[in-house]
mmCIF file of all heavy atoms in Angstrom:
data_model
loop_
_atom_site.group_PDB
_atom_site.id
_atom_site.type_symbol
_atom_site.label_atom_id
_atom_site.label_comp_id
_atom_site.label_asym_id
_atom_site.label_seq_id
_atom_site.Cartn_x
_atom_site.Cartn_y
_atom_site.Cartn_z
ATOM 1 N N VAL A 152 90.068 86.024 76.464
ATOM 2 C CA VAL A 152 90.620 86.477 77.670
ATOM 3 C C VAL A 152 91.913 87.392 77.202
ATOM 4 O O VAL A 152 92.827 86.898 76.562
ATOM 5 C CB VAL A 152 91.096 85.352 78.600
ATOM 6 C CG1 VAL A 152 91.812 85.850 79.790
ATOM 7 C CG2 VAL A 152 89.902 84.483 78.995
ATOM 8 N N PRO A 153 91.942 88.559 77.738
ATOM 9 C CA PRO A 153 93.070 89.362 77.333
ATOM 10 C C PRO A 153 94.342 88.809 77.875
ATOM 11 O O PRO A 153 94.350 88.118 78.882
ATOM 12 C CB PRO A 153 92.755 90.745 77.946
ATOM 13 C CG PRO A 153 91.718 90.592 78.829
ATOM 14 C CD PRO A 153 90.971 89.270 78.453
ATOM 15 N N VAL A 154 95.454 89.237 77.274
ATOM 16 C CA VAL A 154 96.769 88.455 77.533
ATOM 17 C C VAL A 154 97.129 88.591 78.930
ATOM 18 O O VAL A 154 97.734 87.732 79.597
ATOM 19 C CB VAL A 154 97.753 88.797 76.444
ATOM 20 C CG1 VAL A 154 98.347 90.189 76.760
ATOM 21 C CG2 VAL A 154 98.870 87.773 76.365
ATOM 22 N N GLU A 155 96.858 89.796 79.533
ATOM 23 C CA GLU A 155 97.204 90.002 80.958
ATOM 24 C C GLU A 155 96.564 89.139 82.054
ATOM 25 O O GLU A 155 97.019 88.967 83.088
ATOM 26 C CB GLU A 155 97.271 91.519 81.368
ATOM 27 C CG GLU A 155 95.812 92.014 81.383
ATOM 28 C CD GLU A 155 95.405 92.668 80.056
ATOM 29 O OE1 GLU A 155 95.919 92.302 79.022
ATOM 30 O OE2 GLU A 155 94.354 93.410 80.030
ATOM 31 N N SER A 156 95.407 88.554 81.507
ATOM 32 C CA SER A 156 94.780 87.667 82.460
ATOM 33 C C SER A 156 94.990 86.162 82.130
ATOM 34 O O SER A 156 94.416 85.341 82.750
ATOM 35 C CB SER A 156 93.208 87.946 82.453
ATOM 36 O OG SER A 156 92.974 89.205 83.076
ATOM 37 N N ARG A 157 95.725 85.929 81.175
ATOM 38 C CA ARG A 157 96.113 84.518 80.915
ATOM 39 C C ARG A 157 97.227 84.061 81.845
ATOM 40 O O ARG A 157 98.402 84.014 81.534
ATOM 41 C CB ARG A 157 96.644 84.484 79.384
ATOM 42 C CG ARG A 157 95.481 84.591 78.505
ATOM 43 C CD ARG A 157 95.755 84.270 77.052
ATOM 44 N NE ARG A 157 94.990 85.162 76.160
ATOM 45 C CZ ARG A 157 95.391 85.513 74.867
ATOM 46 N NH1 ARG A 157 96.522 85.029 74.417
ATOM 47 N NH2 ARG A 157 94.585 86.272 74.111
ATOM 48 N N ILE A 158 96.711 83.677 82.986
ATOM 49 C CA ILE A 158 97.513 83.236 84.139
ATOM 50 C C ILE A 158 97.288 81.726 84.379
ATOM 51 O O ILE A 158 96.135 81.368 84.655
ATOM 52 C CB ILE A 158 97.334 84.148 85.333
ATOM 53 C CG1 ILE A 158 97.509 85.481 85.022
ATOM 54 C CG2 ILE A 158 98.132 83.532 86.539
ATOM 55 C CD1 ILE A 158 97.005 86.509 86.085
ATOM 56 N N ALA A 159 98.338 80.900 84.412
ATOM 57 C CA ALA A 159 98.282 79.504 84.719
ATOM 58 C C ALA A 159 99.101 79.147 85.851
ATOM 59 O O ALA A 159 100.360 79.509 85.909
ATOM 60 C CB ALA A 159 98.538 78.617 83.563
ATOM 61 N N VAL A 160 98.528 78.582 86.953
ATOM 62 C CA VAL A 160 99.325 78.151 88.073
ATOM 63 C C VAL A 160 99.406 76.672 88.223
ATOM 64 O O VAL A 160 98.465 75.938 88.013
ATOM 65 C CB VAL A 160 98.683 78.765 89.424
ATOM 66 C CG1 VAL A 160 98.950 80.243 89.460
ATOM 67 C CG2 VAL A 160 97.291 78.385 89.557
ATOM 68 N N PHE A 161 100.591 76.204 88.561
ATOM 69 C CA PHE A 161 100.907 74.777 88.620
ATOM 70 C C PHE A 161 101.388 74.404 90.014
ATOM 71 O O PHE A 161 102.495 75.035 90.414
ATOM 72 C CB PHE A 161 101.907 74.341 87.562
ATOM 73 C CG PHE A 161 101.346 74.373 86.202
ATOM 74 C CD1 PHE A 161 101.207 75.512 85.459
ATOM 75 C CD2 PHE A 161 100.941 73.169 85.599
ATOM 76 C CE1 PHE A 161 100.704 75.502 84.163
ATOM 77 C CE2 PHE A 161 100.383 73.073 84.373
ATOM 78 C CZ PHE A 161 100.289 74.295 83.565
ATOM 79 N N ASP A 162 100.858 73.496 90.608
ATOM 80 C CA ASP A 162 101.477 72.862 91.821
ATOM 81 C C ASP A 162 102.882 72.204 91.237
ATOM 82 O O ASP A 162 102.899 71.890 90.003
ATOM 83 C CB ASP A 162 100.653 71.777 92.418
ATOM 84 C CG ASP A 162 101.379 70.948 93.450
ATOM 85 O OD1 ASP A 162 101.890 71.491 94.366
ATOM 86 O OD2 ASP A 162 101.310 69.691 93.241
ATOM 87 N N ASN A 163 103.842 71.946 92.160
ATOM 88 C CA ASN A 163 105.055 71.275 91.688
ATOM 89 C C ASN A 163 105.033 69.727 91.960
ATOM 90 O O ASN A 163 104.891 68.970 91.067
ATOM 91 C CB ASN A 163 106.256 71.940 92.372
ATOM 92 C CG ASN A 163 107.545 71.383 91.784
ATOM 93 O OD1 ASN A 163 107.599 71.056 90.635
ATOM 94 N ND2 ASN A 163 108.554 71.439 92.572
ATOM 95 N N ASP A 164 105.197 69.437 93.290
ATOM 96 C CA ASP A 164 105.372 68.022 93.570
ATOM 97 C C ASP A 164 104.085 67.206 93.216
ATOM 98 O O ASP A 164 103.038 67.432 93.795
ATOM 99 C CB ASP A 164 105.663 67.901 95.082
ATOM 100 C CG ASP A 164 106.924 68.617 95.611
ATOM 101 O OD1 ASP A 164 107.858 68.429 94.816
ATOM 102 O OD2 ASP A 164 106.914 69.283 96.533
ATOM 103 N N GLY A 165 104.291 66.302 92.387
ATOM 104 C CA GLY A 165 103.159 65.364 91.987
ATOM 105 C C GLY A 165 102.388 66.029 90.792
ATOM 106 O O GLY A 165 101.491 65.284 90.293
ATOM 107 N N THR A 166 102.703 67.205 90.483
ATOM 108 C CA THR A 166 102.027 67.821 89.281
ATOM 109 C C THR A 166 102.892 68.131 88.199
ATOM 110 O O THR A 166 102.564 67.875 86.964
ATOM 111 C CB THR A 166 101.265 69.103 89.646
ATOM 112 O OG1 THR A 166 100.263 68.852 90.753
ATOM 113 C CG2 THR A 166 100.563 69.785 88.595
#
Side-chain angles (χ1 to χ4, degrees):
Chain A
V152 177
V154 76
E155 66 269 19
S156 289
R157 289 187 210 155
I158 298 162
V160 290
F161 289 80
D162 169 56
N163 187 29
D164 297 318
T166 300

